[in-house]
């Protein structure tokens, strides 16, 4: 019986896990953060890393959509969170992909897609707000603003955010093109890992339409994991 075979040079290196081909390269976040040199861009990398936000939803956020403290008055989520609300009239043409109902009552946003917010997201938000936003914002109420050029202070577009991430990836020497949607795939896969492949947890954390979708897209096992190899060897009769 053959005890071993030559390793496949095309197989992922040991420790690499990629459930989805469009995920970020391994270690992308710590590589990207040092090469983005303004607070807004650090906030974008952090917010995309810690949620499953789409870039249209992120660049379409207004300040009133952010409930970044415990027990916000909307009463819809006890922990810090934000509401992604589909709006047709954003001056930067950014719009959320999904369109759940939302409304504002007494200046308080309710409904939309709710995303929980991490401490790192809150920290990056306050760094950005107290420096760049406070200095340049033009009074339109949107979260992300342009920080240079003739439209200084005006809303920042999704295309501009994509360009920033692409350039940051090049400066960091990361393979491939860094795209906003890759953060969404990577976040969902990480949630599955952390929850023991619980697709219902991943569905709620990532605002996916169904647990079945999460399971079908991300839920297949890591074929290089010790558990997968042990299961195969057991079936092959190599494990007593």
């Amino acid at each position: 019986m053959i005890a071993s075979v030559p390793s496949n040079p095309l197989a992922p290196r040991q420790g690499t896990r990629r459930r989805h081909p469009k995920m970020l390269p391994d270690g992308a976040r710590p590589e990207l953060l040092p090469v983005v040199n303004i607070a807004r861009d650090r906030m974008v990398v952090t917010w995309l890393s810690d949620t499953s936000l789409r870039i249209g939803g992120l660049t379409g956020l207004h300040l009133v959509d952010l409930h970044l403290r415990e027990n916000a008055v909307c009463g819809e989520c006890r922990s810090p969170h934000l509401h992604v609300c589909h709006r047709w009239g954003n001056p930067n043409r950014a719009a959320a992909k999904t369109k759940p109902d939302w409304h504002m009552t007494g200046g308080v946003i309710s409904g939309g897609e709710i995303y929980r917010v991490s401490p790192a997201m809150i920290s990056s938000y306050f760094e950005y707000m107290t420096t760049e936003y406070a200095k340049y914002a033009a009074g339109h109420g949107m979260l992300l603003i342009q920080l240079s050029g003739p439209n200084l202070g005006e809303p920042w577009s999704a295309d501009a955010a994509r360009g920033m991430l692409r350039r940051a990836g090049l400066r960091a020497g990361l393979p491939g093109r860094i795209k906003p949607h890759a953060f969404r795939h990577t976040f969902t896969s990480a949630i599955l890992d952390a929850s023991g492949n619980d697709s219902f947890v991943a569905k709620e954390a990532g605002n996916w339409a169904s647990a079945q979708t999460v399971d079908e897209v991300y839920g297949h096992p890591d074929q290089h994991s010790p558990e997968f190899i042990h299961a195969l060897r057991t079936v092959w009769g190599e494990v007593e």
Side-chain angles (χ1 to χ4, degrees):
M1 180 176 63
I2 298 175
S4 64
V5 295
S7 61
N8 181 357
L10 298 180
R13 67 182 184 273
Q14 187 174 5
T16 298
R17 304 187 67 178
R18 286 177 178 264
R19 280 194 171 87
H20 195 283
K22 295 183 179 179
M23 286 171 57
L24 292 170
D26 292 333
R29 177 177 181 168
E31 294 293 332
L32 287 170
L33 284 173
V35 301
V36 291
N37 54 15
I38 57 177
R40 180 201 62 197
D41 297 351
R42 287 191 292 273
M43 188 183 81
V44 168
V45 171
T46 301
W47 283 41
L48 289 175
S49 297
D50 283 357
T51 67
S52 61
L53 279 166
R54 297 178 177 90
I55 196 62
L58 176 57
T59 54
L61 285 172
H62 290 237
L63 297 180
V64 293
D65 300 333
L66 311 181
H67 294 167
L68 304 184
R69 62 179 180 82
E70 300 283 343
N71 299 313
V73 292
C74 69
E76 294 184 289
C77 182
R78 287 181 291 182
S79 61
H81 62 278
L82 58 86
H83 299 253
V84 173
C85 304
H86 181 84
R87 296 178 173 92
W88 289 106
N90 282 330
N92 62 354
R93 300 183 180 179
K97 182 177 181 179
T98 58
K99 306 173 185 178
D101 291 338
W102 63 275
H103 61 275
M104 180 184 291
T105 304
V108 177
I109 291 285
S110 298
E113 277 193 310
I114 296 175
Y115 291 80
R116 288 172 176 79
V117 172
S118 71
M121 292 171 66
I122 295 174
S123 178
S124 66
Y125 165 81
F126 279 110
E127 180 194 10
Y128 164 62
M129 291 297 293
T130 56
T131 55
E132 297 157 2
Y133 193 91
K135 187 175 181 180
Y136 297 116
H140 44 71
M142 296 194 72
L143 174 63
L144 296 175
I145 61 171
Q146 300 183 49
L147 296 174
S148 62
N151 295 318
L152 180 70
E154 293 301 321
W156 200 47
S157 70
D159 283 344
R162 292 186 185 97
M164 179 275 291
L165 291 169
R166 182 179 66 253
R167 293 188 297 273
L170 290 173
R171 290 197 299 273
L174 294 172
R177 184 172 180 171
I178 301 302
K179 298 181 179 181
H181 209 67
F183 289 86
R184 178 173 169 85
H185 294 308
T186 302
F187 175 81
T188 302
S189 182
I191 288 289
L192 275 174
D193 283 345
S195 64
N197 284 315
D198 190 325
S199 56
F200 289 97
V201 170
K203 170 192 174 298
E204 291 300 318
N207 282 13
W208 286 85
S210 70
Q212 180 180 356
T213 299
V214 172
D215 196 49
E216 289 175 351
V217 175
Y218 300 95
H220 56 275
D222 177 8
Q223 297 183 22
H224 303 278
S225 70
E227 294 81 7
F228 185 92
I229 294 170
H230 178 79
L232 277 178
R233 292 186 63 205
T234 299
V235 173
W236 292 340
E238 296 182 10
V239 178
E240 296 182 356

